[in-house]
Amino acid sequence: MQNNLLTISIILLVSIFIANILILIYMFKQARIKNNHNSDLNANYLDLNFKFQLVITTLWVVGVAITTLGWNVKTQIVGELKSEILSDVKDDLGNLKGQAELLNLSYKESSNAINNIQNNLYNLENSTMQLIGKYDKLDNLLSERMMNIETILKIYIVPDIKLVNEDSTSHYDYKNLKPINSSNLPKFKKPPIVMIQTTAGALTFDIEKNTEEYIEIRPNMIHGEELYLTFWIVERE
């Protein structure tokens, strides 16, 4: 657009310059004709008008030169400023593009990390649920097996029995004992076989008396701490 305006301006100035040259040529011819007719007044007038038109033409030439030079300087300055601005803008756009790419990459990495964490949590939850299910099955199976011990082997397990007297005889009625594999101990027809397990592994007991209704035991040494026993009771036929 700027180049088109410059071209139009130069064409107009050149046209005016040519018109002034043609006017000067015409006036110069008229002056010669008037000189031939010996008219001093007309000769002076034409000479003055010729000089005036010459000055105007010269000013037009100078104006065209100044306009062209100024336009070129303006174009050069605008071009340099435009190039500098475009260079700065290009650098800024490059930096912004790089930052945007880094942010996009960070977002993708964060999104992938979050997805991985969610997948790991989901897998962990599934694994936990599977373990809980297996534990429940195992617990149910163990309970069934323990319940079957009563009918298969006639063995009753009574845990968490507190030792009443550490340095003397402790008395336990079978009717008060609660086995884990039965609601109650049966009424024994014969004194059952009793095996005693304790939290103090090295401590043993003497069975002082064992009947169909109760058992009396005494530890073979003083332990000095609170003890809990487990009775393994086998029914005799």
Side-chain angles (χ1 to χ4, degrees), residues 169-170 174 206-211 214-217:
T169 301
S170 298
Y174 289 130
D206 295 327
I207 299 177
E208 294 189 346
K209 194 170 184 179
N210 183 23
T211 68
Y214 64 88
I215 185 174
E216 293 180 349
I217 61 174

Side-chain angles (χ1 to χ4, degrees), residues 41-157:
L41 181 60
N42 290 333
N44 291 332
Y45 171 76
L46 291 173
D47 184 61
L48 181 61
N49 196 8
F50 175 78
K51 291 179 179 179
F52 178 73
Q53 291 295 330
L54 182 62
V55 170
I56 292 176
T57 302
T58 304
L59 290 175
W60 275 111
V61 172
V62 173
V64 170
I66 292 175
T67 301
T68 304
L69 180 61
W71 192 272
N72 291 334
V73 172
K74 176 190 173 184
T75 303
Q76 183 179 359
I77 293 174
V78 170
E80 291 178 354
L81 290 175
K82 185 177 179 180
S83 299
E84 184 176 354
I85 292 173
L86 288 176
S87 177
D88 294 339
V89 171
K90 185 177 180 181
D91 294 338
D92 293 339
L93 289 176
N95 293 332
L96 290 175
K97 184 178 179 181
Q99 293 177 1
E101 290 177 352
L102 289 176
L103 288 174
N104 189 28
L105 181 61
S106 299
Y107 170 77
K108 290 182 179 179
E109 291 178 351
S110 300
S111 179
N112 292 333
I114 292 174
N115 290 334
N116 290 334
I117 292 174
Q118 290 178 344
N119 291 333
N120 291 334
L121 289 175
Y122 179 75
N123 294 332
L124 181 60
E125 182 179 1
N126 288 338
S127 299
T128 303
M129 294 302 296
Q130 291 176 2
L131 288 175
I132 292 175
K134 291 180 180 179
Y135 174 79
D136 290 338
K137 290 181 180 179
L138 181 61
D139 184 60
N140 293 334
L141 181 61
L142 182 60
S143 297
E144 291 177 0
R145 295 291 176 86
M146 293 299 294
M147 292 295 294
N148 291 334
I149 289 178
E150 177 184 2
T151 56
I152 296 175
L153 299 177
K154 299 292 184 178
I155 297 176
Y156 304 92
I157 304 171

